[in-house]
Amino acid sequence: MSGRPVSAALPRPLRAGCGLVAGLAALVVVVLGVVYAGRGEPGRADRWIVPPTADSVRPPWRRVALAMDYLGEPAGALMLVAAVVTGCLLLRRPRAAVLVVAGAAATVGAATLLKHLVGRTIHGEGNLSYPSGHTAFLTALALAVALPEAGRLGLGRTAGTSLVLAAALTAGAAMGWAQVALGAHYPTDALGGWCTALVVAPATAWLVDRVADRTAGGRTAGRQAGGRTDSGPAERR
């Protein structure tokens, strides 16, 4: 045993702030889902931001948008997750590695479920759009990296929460822009995807810590019990 402390997936100083943000984000997800349920056209907010059903970007920015979009496709997402997990393992951050996989999977799963519940479409009946799974995925990945990193750096509540939100905003804005620019999603879809990640990823991080702490506690108790059993004969002698 090296005695090296294990970085939490959701650092304790950030729990209250992340909980508050998650609550507000959940409210946004629900409100937007109710407003746009079953609709197949842009809302007033979407039209105010950009015409969302026509490509609004040209080269060279279109190539940037296509590259961003690829990171949310199955092949690109798997490669990105594999690269981040490899980095976490090389840096000996096992909880972060677990969070990357579990957080991304849970967030994409939640976004997919919401799409079927809300039923909003774009470019035809078969194209469910709310919330944006691409935006949710990349935001969740950014959160999975930023949350443990804030704890490893020893940041307090304000600084740590600021770092986490900055990472989430950067990733969400980049992917959301790409999805809207390519006409794949309405702007409110991207907002819904971003907020979905803000709810699911921290909750997954909390769950990762709970499971890991219980597992570690059980192993420690087992070793202690084994040590007492082994020492018994020696003490009797």
Side-chain angles (χ1 to χ4, degrees):
M1 298 293 293
S2 64
R4 180 175 54 85
V6 178
S7 298
L10 180 61
R12 188 174 297 275
L14 273 61
R15 291 180 183 178
C18 286
L20 177 60
V21 171
L24 295 174
L27 180 61
V28 172
V29 171
V30 171
V31 170
L32 290 178
V34 171
V35 169
Y36 295 113
R39 297 177 62 177
E41 68 281 339
R44 182 177 301 177
D46 300 314
R47 294 190 182 95
W48 179 74
I49 295 172
V50 67
T53 57
D55 291 349
S56 57
V57 64
R58 295 288 181 267
W61 290 107
R62 180 173 176 80
R63 287 191 288 270
V64 176
L66 288 171
M68 288 297 304
D69 178 72
Y70 178 73
L71 294 179
E73 294 295 319
L78 285 174
M79 288 192 297
L80 186 58
V81 167
V84 177
V85 168
T86 300
C88 291
L89 294 177
L90 290 175
L91 294 172
R92 297 184 180 181
R93 298 172 193 169
R95 293 196 190 188
V98 172
L99 178 58
V100 167
V101 177
T107 302
V108 171
T112 301
L113 177 61
L114 285 169
K115 282 185 178 182
H116 287 86
L117 290 175
V118 175
R120 190 187 196 189
T121 59
I122 187 171
H123 305 316
E125 290 298 323
N127 299 312
L128 298 174
S129 66
Y130 179 87
S132 166
H134 282 61
T135 306
F137 163 73
L138 198 64
T139 304
L141 193 64
L143 287 168
V145 173
L147 283 168
E149 189 65 16
R152 191 189 69 84
L153 294 173
L155 300 180
R157 180 175 58 186
T158 301
T161 303
S162 298
L163 172 65
V164 169
L165 289 179
L169 181 59
T170 300
M175 183 61 82
W177 164 79
Q179 295 305 298
V180 174
L182 294 173
H185 282 283
Y186 306 111
T188 45
D189 295 338
L191 177 59
W194 186 66
C195 289
T196 299
L198 289 176
V199 175
V200 178
T204 306
W206 176 83
L207 185 60
V208 168
D209 282 335
R210 292 276 292 181
V211 173
D213 290 342
R214 287 189 177 184
T215 302
R219 290 175 179 173
T220 300
R223 285 195 296 269
Q224 290 174 346
R228 287 194 296 270
T229 300
D230 294 341
S231 65
E235 291 173 354
R236 286 196 295 270
R237 289 198 297 270

